[in-house]
Amino acid sequence: MRSDANIAGPMTDPVPGPRTESTGEDVSRETPPPMDDTPIGRAAQLAVEALGRAGDSLPRPGQTRVIVVANQKGGVGKTTTTVNLAASLALHGGRVLVIDLDPQGNASTALGIDHHAEVPSIYDVLIESKPLAEVVQPVLDVEGLFCAPATIDLAGAEIELVSLVARESRLQRAIQSYEQPLDYILIDCPPSLGLLTVNALVAGQEVLIPIQCEYYALEGLGQLLRNVDLVRGHLNPALHVSTILLTMYDGRTRLASQVAEEVRSHFGDEVLRTSIPRSVRISEAPSYGQTVLTYDPGSSGALSYLEAAREIALRGVGVRYDAQHAHFGAQTEQSMAEGIQ
Ligand SMILES: Nc1ncnc2c1ncn2[C@@H]1O[C@H](COP(=O)(O)OP(=O)(O)OP(=O)(O)O)[C@@H](O)[C@H]1O
Ligand SMILES: [Mg+2]
């Protein structure tokens, strides 16, 4: 078992222990163990491997893939998935834009993007018809990654949109007039099925549904799927659920594997082979304004998001993903159940 020691985050002072004054004679002459025999050395090695692997470029899609990350259930990992997949795709060489469509602004926070009330934001794009290019900011830590932030103003947009012309397709129009070349746009939706989520569904071709491996995981999904059907039928014929991602998978519990099995039998091929483990590193990263990819690149969470991104990129160009060749450290339910973490 590897340690999740944080090698990229802020350094902590060593715990001050009792000190003895030593003369030269007392100093131990033992050679320190090789780096990768220590937990920190192992983590460092994994981090280097992970970043090296991230540098491998993946096939780029022929045209921009607009992926809507949605699930009206709260706290299932939508934002975490959006920002970490986006960072993974950018580290693999893609140009990626995250659109924060949640008034909570969690994706903006997690990407270290300023989003106080005066910052030009996705609210201005939706309500004031400001060009998207005027609100997009680069993410400092990750080359090729950009974010259109959400501010608290967006909380009122749900109501303000009601009386506007083309209220369901304002985001779609803004994206269509955005001229910068992009490989992926990932849209982080709020935990509701109101007009903000409808705008995302009209703007995208693909829906990615994160499902938390917990009891009640599938409850409420029917309503999301009906909304996807409605939008496809009336406003956006290209829309389809392309990807299901199992999140917060805890390999030690039977419940997690039961939920995974149920989701796989229900959705089949849409479910990614890679699942995201429950990981403290993943949940700590946003408080440093970072994705787990830069916060702790060698952690199981970072490796899993890198692998999920690889799977998504390969599927996009029609290449069958072979879990047998998953990179070391990435997780399938089987490896997690066997305790290979
Ligand atoms: N794999 C994981 N391991 C541990 N904690 C996680 C993991 N994924 C997400 N979390 C934590 O779970 C909480 C909910 O995640 P997140 O904010 O991504 O969900 P969400 O679906 O976007 O929520 P909301 O519906 O409020 O927008 C957060 O505190 C996040 O840090
Ligand atoms: Mg969220």
Short mmCIF file of all heavy atoms in Angstrom, two decimals, residues 277-315:
data_model
loop_
_atom_site.label_atom_id
_atom_site.label_comp_id
_atom_site.label_asym_id
_atom_site.label_seq_id
_atom_site.Cartn_x
_atom_site.Cartn_y
_atom_site.Cartn_z
N PRO A 277 -11.75 6.48 -6.75
CA PRO A 277 -11.81 6.04 -5.35
C PRO A 277 -12.15 7.20 -4.41
O PRO A 277 -11.92 8.36 -4.76
CB PRO A 277 -10.38 5.56 -5.08
CG PRO A 277 -9.54 6.35 -6.01
CD PRO A 277 -10.36 6.59 -7.24
N ARG A 278 -12.68 6.86 -3.27
CA ARG A 278 -12.82 7.88 -2.22
C ARG A 278 -11.41 8.20 -1.75
O ARG A 278 -10.64 7.30 -1.42
CB ARG A 278 -13.66 7.31 -1.07
CG ARG A 278 -14.01 8.31 -0.03
CD ARG A 278 -14.97 7.73 0.98
NE ARG A 278 -16.35 7.81 0.55
CZ ARG A 278 -17.06 8.93 0.52
NH1 ARG A 278 -16.52 10.08 0.89
NH2 ARG A 278 -18.31 8.92 0.13
N SER A 279 -11.05 9.47 -1.76
CA SER A 279 -9.67 9.82 -1.43
C SER A 279 -9.61 11.17 -0.74
O SER A 279 -10.22 12.14 -1.19
CB SER A 279 -8.84 9.85 -2.73
OG SER A 279 -7.99 10.97 -2.76
N VAL A 280 -8.90 11.19 0.36
CA VAL A 280 -8.77 12.44 1.11
C VAL A 280 -8.09 13.51 0.27
O VAL A 280 -8.44 14.68 0.31
CB VAL A 280 -7.95 12.17 2.39
CG1 VAL A 280 -7.66 13.47 3.14
CG2 VAL A 280 -8.69 11.20 3.30
N ARG A 281 -7.12 13.09 -0.53
CA ARG A 281 -6.39 14.05 -1.37
C ARG A 281 -7.34 14.79 -2.33
O ARG A 281 -7.19 15.98 -2.55
CB ARG A 281 -5.31 13.33 -2.18
CG ARG A 281 -4.18 12.88 -1.33
CD ARG A 281 -3.43 14.12 -0.85
NE ARG A 281 -2.35 13.78 0.04
CZ ARG A 281 -2.24 14.24 1.27
NH1 ARG A 281 -3.16 15.03 1.77
NH2 ARG A 281 -1.19 13.92 2.00
N ILE A 282 -8.30 14.04 -2.89
CA ILE A 282 -9.26 14.66 -3.81
C ILE A 282 -10.06 15.73 -3.08
O ILE A 282 -10.28 16.82 -3.60
CB ILE A 282 -10.20 13.59 -4.41
CG1 ILE A 282 -9.43 12.68 -5.37
CG2 ILE A 282 -11.39 14.24 -5.13
CD1 ILE A 282 -10.26 11.57 -6.01
N SER A 283 -10.48 15.43 -1.85
CA SER A 283 -11.34 16.38 -1.16
C SER A 283 -10.54 17.55 -0.58
O SER A 283 -11.08 18.63 -0.35
CB SER A 283 -12.15 15.68 -0.06
OG SER A 283 -11.29 15.06 0.84
N GLU A 284 -9.23 17.37 -0.36
CA GLU A 284 -8.42 18.47 0.17
C GLU A 284 -8.03 19.50 -0.90
O GLU A 284 -7.90 20.69 -0.61
CB GLU A 284 -7.10 17.92 0.75
CG GLU A 284 -7.24 17.29 2.09
CD GLU A 284 -5.94 16.60 2.53
OE1 GLU A 284 -5.01 16.46 1.70
OE2 GLU A 284 -5.87 16.20 3.69
N ALA A 285 -7.84 19.02 -2.12
CA ALA A 285 -7.26 19.88 -3.17
C ALA A 285 -7.98 21.22 -3.36
O ALA A 285 -7.31 22.27 -3.46
CB ALA A 285 -7.18 19.11 -4.49
N PRO A 286 -9.35 21.25 -3.38
CA PRO A 286 -10.01 22.53 -3.66
C PRO A 286 -9.69 23.62 -2.65
O PRO A 286 -9.67 24.80 -3.00
CB PRO A 286 -11.51 22.20 -3.60
CG PRO A 286 -11.60 20.72 -3.71
CD PRO A 286 -10.31 20.16 -3.22
N SER A 287 -9.41 23.26 -1.42
CA SER A 287 -9.16 24.31 -0.43
C SER A 287 -7.81 24.98 -0.69
O SER A 287 -7.51 26.02 -0.12
CB SER A 287 -9.24 23.77 1.00
OG SER A 287 -8.33 22.73 1.16
N TYR A 288 -6.99 24.40 -1.56
CA TYR A 288 -5.75 25.05 -1.98
C TYR A 288 -5.90 25.68 -3.36
O TYR A 288 -4.92 26.07 -3.99
CB TYR A 288 -4.61 24.02 -2.01
CG TYR A 288 -4.28 23.48 -0.64
CD1 TYR A 288 -5.02 22.43 -0.08
CD2 TYR A 288 -3.25 24.03 0.13
CE1 TYR A 288 -4.74 21.95 1.19
CE2 TYR A 288 -2.95 23.55 1.39
CZ TYR A 288 -3.71 22.51 1.91
OH TYR A 288 -3.43 22.03 3.17
N GLY A 289 -7.15 25.74 -3.86
CA GLY A 289 -7.39 26.28 -5.21
C GLY A 289 -6.71 25.43 -6.27
O GLY A 289 -6.25 25.93 -7.29
N GLN A 290 -6.64 24.14 -6.02
CA GLN A 290 -5.94 23.25 -6.96
C GLN A 290 -6.77 22.03 -7.30
O GLN A 290 -7.63 21.62 -6.53
CB GLN A 290 -4.64 22.74 -6.32
CG GLN A 290 -3.56 23.78 -6.19
CD GLN A 290 -2.24 23.17 -5.77
OE1 GLN A 290 -1.84 22.14 -6.29
NE2 GLN A 290 -1.58 23.80 -4.82
N THR A 291 -6.44 21.42 -8.44
CA THR A 291 -7.00 20.10 -8.72
C THR A 291 -6.07 19.09 -8.06
O THR A 291 -4.93 19.42 -7.69
CB THR A 291 -7.04 19.83 -10.24
OG1 THR A 291 -5.70 19.73 -10.71
CG2 THR A 291 -7.78 20.94 -10.97
N VAL A 292 -6.55 17.86 -7.93
CA VAL A 292 -5.69 16.85 -7.31
C VAL A 292 -4.49 16.54 -8.20
O VAL A 292 -3.45 16.08 -7.74
CB VAL A 292 -6.52 15.57 -6.97
CG1 VAL A 292 -6.85 14.76 -8.21
CG2 VAL A 292 -5.78 14.71 -5.94
N LEU A 293 -4.60 16.88 -9.48
CA LEU A 293 -3.51 16.62 -10.41
C LEU A 293 -2.26 17.42 -10.09
O LEU A 293 -1.14 16.97 -10.31
CB LEU A 293 -3.93 16.95 -11.86
CG LEU A 293 -4.76 15.93 -12.63
CD1 LEU A 293 -4.05 14.61 -12.69
CD2 LEU A 293 -6.14 15.76 -12.07
N THR A 294 -2.45 18.65 -9.57
CA THR A 294 -1.28 19.44 -9.19
C THR A 294 -1.03 19.32 -7.68
O THR A 294 0.09 19.42 -7.23
CB THR A 294 -1.44 20.93 -9.57
OG1 THR A 294 -2.68 21.40 -9.06
CG2 THR A 294 -1.40 21.11 -11.07
N TYR A 295 -2.08 19.09 -6.92
CA TYR A 295 -1.95 19.02 -5.45
C TYR A 295 -1.18 17.78 -5.03
O TYR A 295 -0.30 17.83 -4.19
CB TYR A 295 -3.35 19.04 -4.84
CG TYR A 295 -3.37 18.92 -3.33
CD1 TYR A 295 -2.77 19.88 -2.53
CD2 TYR A 295 -4.01 17.84 -2.72
CE1 TYR A 295 -2.79 19.77 -1.15
CE2 TYR A 295 -4.05 17.73 -1.35
CZ TYR A 295 -3.43 18.69 -0.56
OH TYR A 295 -3.45 18.58 0.79
N ASP A 296 -1.54 16.63 -5.60
CA ASP A 296 -0.82 15.40 -5.29
C ASP A 296 -0.86 14.46 -6.50
O ASP A 296 -1.67 13.54 -6.57
CB ASP A 296 -1.43 14.71 -4.07
CG ASP A 296 -0.56 13.56 -3.58
OD1 ASP A 296 0.42 13.22 -4.27
OD2 ASP A 296 -0.84 13.01 -2.50
N PRO A 297 0.02 14.75 -7.47
CA PRO A 297 -0.08 14.05 -8.76
C PRO A 297 0.10 12.54 -8.68
O PRO A 297 -0.36 11.84 -9.57
CB PRO A 297 1.06 14.67 -9.59
CG PRO A 297 1.70 15.71 -8.77
CD PRO A 297 1.10 15.73 -7.40
N GLY A 298 0.74 12.06 -7.63
CA GLY A 298 0.95 10.61 -7.55
C GLY A 298 -0.13 9.88 -6.80
O GLY A 298 -0.09 8.65 -6.65
N SER A 299 -1.13 10.60 -6.28
CA SER A 299 -2.15 9.96 -5.46
C SER A 299 -3.08 9.11 -6.32
O SER A 299 -3.19 9.31 -7.53
CB SER A 299 -2.96 11.02 -4.71
OG SER A 299 -3.65 11.83 -5.65
N SER A 300 -3.77 8.18 -5.65
CA SER A 300 -4.67 7.30 -6.39
C SER A 300 -5.77 8.12 -7.07
O SER A 300 -6.21 7.79 -8.17
CB SER A 300 -5.29 6.27 -5.45
OG SER A 300 -6.00 6.93 -4.42
N GLY A 301 -6.19 9.22 -6.44
CA GLY A 301 -7.24 10.05 -7.04
C GLY A 301 -6.77 10.69 -8.33
O GLY A 301 -7.48 10.70 -9.34
N ALA A 302 -5.54 11.22 -8.32
CA ALA A 302 -5.00 11.86 -9.53
C ALA A 302 -4.85 10.83 -10.64
O ALA A 302 -5.23 11.07 -11.79
CB ALA A 302 -3.65 12.51 -9.21
N LEU A 303 -4.30 9.68 -10.28
CA LEU A 303 -4.09 8.64 -11.30
C LEU A 303 -5.41 8.18 -11.90
O LEU A 303 -5.51 7.93 -13.10
CB LEU A 303 -3.35 7.45 -10.69
CG LEU A 303 -1.90 7.77 -10.26
CD1 LEU A 303 -1.33 6.65 -9.41
CD2 LEU A 303 -1.03 8.03 -11.46
N SER A 304 -6.43 8.10 -11.06
CA SER A 304 -7.73 7.64 -11.57
C SER A 304 -8.35 8.66 -12.51
O SER A 304 -8.93 8.29 -13.53
CB SER A 304 -8.69 7.35 -10.41
OG SER A 304 -8.12 6.35 -9.61
N TYR A 305 -8.26 9.93 -12.16
CA TYR A 305 -8.80 10.94 -13.07
C TYR A 305 -8.01 10.99 -14.38
O TYR A 305 -8.59 11.16 -15.46
CB TYR A 305 -8.89 12.32 -12.40
CG TYR A 305 -10.21 12.49 -11.66
CD1 TYR A 305 -10.27 12.62 -10.28
CD2 TYR A 305 -11.43 12.48 -12.36
CE1 TYR A 305 -11.49 12.76 -9.61
CE2 TYR A 305 -12.65 12.61 -11.70
CZ TYR A 305 -12.67 12.75 -10.33
OH TYR A 305 -13.88 12.87 -9.68
N LEU A 306 -6.68 10.82 -14.30
CA LEU A 306 -5.89 10.78 -15.54
C LEU A 306 -6.36 9.62 -16.42
O LEU A 306 -6.48 9.75 -17.63
CB LEU A 306 -4.40 10.58 -15.23
CG LEU A 306 -3.61 11.83 -14.83
CD1 LEU A 306 -2.22 11.43 -14.34
CD2 LEU A 306 -3.48 12.79 -16.01
N GLU A 307 -6.62 8.48 -15.77
CA GLU A 307 -7.02 7.30 -16.53
C GLU A 307 -8.43 7.47 -17.10
O GLU A 307 -8.70 7.08 -18.24
CB GLU A 307 -6.94 6.07 -15.61
CG GLU A 307 -6.97 4.75 -16.33
CD GLU A 307 -5.76 4.53 -17.25
OE1 GLU A 307 -4.75 5.22 -17.11
OE2 GLU A 307 -5.87 3.66 -18.13
N ALA A 308 -9.32 8.05 -16.31
CA ALA A 308 -10.69 8.29 -16.80
C ALA A 308 -10.64 9.23 -18.01
O ALA A 308 -11.36 9.04 -19.00
CB ALA A 308 -11.55 8.90 -15.69
N ALA A 309 -9.76 10.22 -17.95
CA ALA A 309 -9.62 11.16 -19.07
C ALA A 309 -9.12 10.43 -20.31
O ALA A 309 -9.58 10.68 -21.43
CB ALA A 309 -8.65 12.29 -18.70
N ARG A 310 -8.18 9.51 -20.10
CA ARG A 310 -7.64 8.74 -21.23
C ARG A 310 -8.76 7.93 -21.89
O ARG A 310 -8.90 7.87 -23.10
CB ARG A 310 -6.54 7.81 -20.71
CG ARG A 310 -5.62 7.28 -21.80
CD ARG A 310 -4.34 6.76 -21.17
NE ARG A 310 -4.51 5.44 -20.62
CZ ARG A 310 -4.26 4.31 -21.27
NH1 ARG A 310 -3.82 4.35 -22.51
NH2 ARG A 310 -4.44 3.15 -20.69
N GLU A 311 -9.59 7.32 -21.01
CA GLU A 311 -10.69 6.51 -21.53
C GLU A 311 -11.66 7.37 -22.34
O GLU A 311 -12.10 6.98 -23.42
CB GLU A 311 -11.42 5.90 -20.31
CG GLU A 311 -11.75 4.46 -20.49
CD GLU A 311 -12.52 3.89 -19.32
OE1 GLU A 311 -12.15 4.14 -18.15
OE2 GLU A 311 -13.51 3.17 -19.58
N ILE A 312 -11.97 8.54 -21.81
CA ILE A 312 -12.91 9.44 -22.51
C ILE A 312 -12.33 9.89 -23.85
O ILE A 312 -13.02 9.90 -24.87
CB ILE A 312 -13.24 10.66 -21.60
CG1 ILE A 312 -14.11 10.21 -20.44
CG2 ILE A 312 -13.91 11.78 -22.38
CD1 ILE A 312 -14.35 11.26 -19.36
N ALA A 313 -11.03 10.23 -23.85
CA ALA A 313 -10.40 10.69 -25.09
C ALA A 313 -10.38 9.57 -26.13
O ALA A 313 -10.67 9.80 -27.31
CB ALA A 313 -8.99 11.18 -24.80
N LEU A 314 -10.06 8.35 -25.70
CA LEU A 314 -9.98 7.23 -26.64
C LEU A 314 -11.36 6.89 -27.19
O LEU A 314 -11.53 6.65 -28.39
CB LEU A 314 -9.36 6.00 -25.97
CG LEU A 314 -7.87 6.14 -25.64
CD1 LEU A 314 -7.35 4.92 -24.90
CD2 LEU A 314 -7.04 6.37 -26.90
N ARG A 315 -12.37 6.88 -26.31
CA ARG A 315 -13.73 6.61 -26.79
C ARG A 315 -14.17 7.63 -27.83
O ARG A 315 -14.88 7.32 -28.76
CB ARG A 315 -14.72 6.71 -25.63
CG ARG A 315 -14.69 5.52 -24.72
CD ARG A 315 -15.52 5.84 -23.51
NE ARG A 315 -15.69 4.64 -22.71
CZ ARG A 315 -16.83 4.29 -22.14
NH1 ARG A 315 -17.89 5.05 -22.24
NH2 ARG A 315 -16.91 3.18 -21.44
#
